[in-house]
Amino acid sequence: MAKSKSVLNPGSTRFLYEYLNNASPTGFESSGQKIWLNYLKPFIDEYFVDTYGTAVGVINPKAEYKVVIEAHADEISWFVHYITKDGFIYLRRNGGSDHQIAPSMRVNIHTENGPIKAVFGWPAIHVRDAAKEEGPSLKNIFLDLGCKSDKEVEALGVHVGCVVTYEDELMELNDRFYTGRALDNRIGGFMIAEVARMLKENKDKLPFGLYLVNSVQEEVGLNGATMIARRIKPDVAIITDVCHDTQTPMMNKITSGDLACGKGPVLSYAPAVQNNLLKMVIEAAKKNKIEFQRQAASRATGTDTDAFAYATDGIASVLISLPLRYMHTTVESVHKQDVEEVIKLIYHSLKTIKNNQDFRYIK
């Protein structure tokens, strides 16, 4: 893909690093939502936050016709589940956390007194019996805080129910990829915030109300999107999330499609995707010379698109995905140019939507 002029600026990059490096585990997203809203406020007319923490910035709040652009704010994590008498901790998943990557990882246990450092312990290769070797599982991965007893653990403010996140932070690979934990999908929150910035700086006047939605609890069932869609009752929803790059070893294109980082946004075909809206997005991509890819879902996209599409009497919804490598690890990776192209595609798609546009197939 030929590199076009960047739509980002130094303030964008500072926001990206601050937002991505902050921990916002499912059910505990409020610190990240504060960062997101603080960045967004200069570009919107008003905002609100619902009971469970979904944050919404609004442009043209009095308009009757409503369009949503949406991402989800939460990241996968762990819960403290059982503290042994010897001071070790066993865990439960909070979202789709991968047990296989856990051994030897560094973590933060989030307590009322602040984060407590710990590590996932694992027996040395010297003492493991290769003939009987067990792989990592929820039955055998554990945290070590350097404590001798459960009393010492509890004295640090750690208790059953504390949430645990990896401490890895954002970096860049070869000036080409953003790499780190929680790009799924706080990179989406970054992208929709950049759309708002572009609208403001370009002095664009939209003929409808625009609702920038950063939903909570996607990783455990699209919960935040379901709640906020019922509250806003939008007419149109443009959702952004990540999807799998399939070019790396051990990926299967037959089952997962042929999708690549660096080749632009991915547009999905699925029952929840409204085809007339999808055609409009494709036309916006072609008109603005934005390269894109296509993927086919089956019954569901597995994203907040499904929640918005069916939340009320039918919300015209479309999914614009960002290809990502190594999903649900601490080295999730996206191509920097793809990030910019998704921002541009959402921006140009919004400028194509007319006030009171009717997306029905039969009129």
Side-chain angles (χ1 to χ4, degrees):
M1 178 187 296
K3 191 170 183 179
S4 58
K5 183 179 178 182
S6 176
V7 298
L8 306 182
N9 62 33
S12 305
T13 304
R14 286 193 297 272
F15 166 56
L16 175 66
Y17 274 79
E18 181 185 11
Y19 186 47
L20 265 292
N21 287 341
N22 178 77
S24 293
T26 300
F28 302 84
E29 301 93 345
S30 59
S31 63
Q33 298 292 56
K34 290 175 184 176
I35 294 170
W36 186 77
L37 280 171
N38 285 339
Y39 180 76
L40 192 66
K41 284 175 185 177
F43 316 131
I44 58 177
D45 297 319
E46 62 182 47
Y47 72 92
F48 63 90
V49 181
D50 77 3
T51 304
Y52 276 86
T54 292
V56 183
V58 189
I59 299 171
N60 300 338
K62 295 182 180 178
E64 291 186 10
Y65 194 75
K66 301 175 183 178
V67 177
V68 159
I69 58 175
E70 190 262 8
H72 74 83
D74 57 318
E75 66 178 289
I76 57 169
S77 56
W78 303 92
F79 279 123
V80 172
H81 173 54
Y82 168 55
I83 305 170
T84 72
K85 297 297 182 184
D86 297 326
F88 298 105
I89 291 177
Y90 288 85
L91 304 160
R92 278 191 167 168
R93 291 187 177 95
N94 186 20
S97 299
D98 188 348
H99 53 274
Q100 292 201 38
I101 70 165
S104 81
M105 297 294 286
R106 304 178 187 194
V107 302
N108 290 314
I109 305 176
H110 298 274
T111 76
E112 291 183 3
N113 302 319
I116 301 295
K117 300 292 183 182
V119 297
F120 275 102
W122 195 247
I125 190 171
H126 313 71
V127 300
R128 301 200 305 266
D129 183 345
K132 301 178 181 178
E133 191 162 79
E134 275 190 88
S137 72
L138 285 178
K139 294 179 180 178
N140 60 21
I141 59 173
F142 62 92
L143 294 183
D144 185 344
L145 289 73
C147 293
K148 293 182 178 180
S149 68
D150 54 348
K151 301 300 181 185
E152 283 193 18
V153 171
E154 290 162 3
L156 293 173
V158 176
H159 55 75
V160 170
C162 282
V163 70
V164 179
T165 59
Y166 297 115
E167 67 171 23
D168 300 69
E169 294 190 340
L170 188 65
M171 66 178 186
E172 296 184 25
L173 294 178
N174 196 26
D175 194 32
R176 189 173 294 158
F177 284 86
Y178 294 122
T179 296
R181 41 158 272 284
L183 274 72
D184 176 11
N185 179 37
R186 282 209 294 290
I187 194 73
F190 168 76
M191 293 189 296
I192 63 173
E194 289 304 287
V195 172
R197 178 184 60 79
M198 289 175 63
L199 289 168
K200 183 74 171 184
E201 292 179 356
N202 294 335
K203 299 180 180 179
D204 291 305
K205 300 296 182 184
L206 298 175
F208 48 76
L210 180 63
Y211 292 72
L212 296 103
V213 177
N214 213 11
S215 295
V216 299
Q217 297 192 28
E218 187 270 353
E219 296 290 357
V220 292
L222 321 181
N223 298 338
T226 301
M227 290 184 280
I228 205 66
R230 291 171 181 162
R231 176 167 174 173
I232 297 172
K233 297 181 175 64
D235 300 281
V236 179
I238 298 174
I239 312 302
T240 187
D241 206 328
V242 295
C243 64
H244 299 288
D245 168 282
T246 60
Q247 308 307 306
T248 57
M250 301 173 69
M251 293 297 292
N252 187 330
K253 295 183 178 67
I254 294 174
T255 57
S256 300
D258 188 3
L259 303 171
C261 289
K263 290 191 175 181
V266 176
L267 301 179
S268 288
Y269 291 78
V273 172
Q274 214 281 342
N275 293 316
N276 287 335
L277 177 58
L278 175 60
K279 289 176 184 176
M280 190 205 73
V281 172
I282 290 171
E283 289 169 5
K286 291 179 177 178
K287 181 180 178 180
N288 293 280
K289 297 181 172 57
I290 299 171
E291 186 178 0
F292 66 91
Q293 307 172 76
R294 306 175 200 252
Q295 73 172 352
S298 182
R299 295 176 63 87
T301 68
T303 71
D304 284 337
T305 313
D306 305 322
F308 269 88
Y310 309 129
T312 59
D313 295 332
I315 297 167
S317 301
V318 70
L319 174 60
I320 301 176
S321 297
L322 177 69
L324 174 142
R325 294 178 174 177
Y326 319 125
M327 193 178 295
H328 286 200
T329 73
T330 58
V331 292
E332 294 181 335
S333 299
V334 297
H335 200 288
K336 293 167 70 174
Q337 189 62 28
D338 288 342
V339 172
E340 300 215 19
E341 297 301 296
V342 170
I343 293 167
K344 289 192 284 188
L345 183 52
I346 296 173
Y347 172 81
H348 288 296
S349 296
L350 286 175
K351 294 189 69 176
T352 305
I353 299 173
K354 298 177 176 62
N355 190 31
N356 296 318
Q357 188 160 347
D358 187 348
F359 286 97
R360 289 178 299 166
Y361 300 129
I362 303 169
K363 302 172 186 176

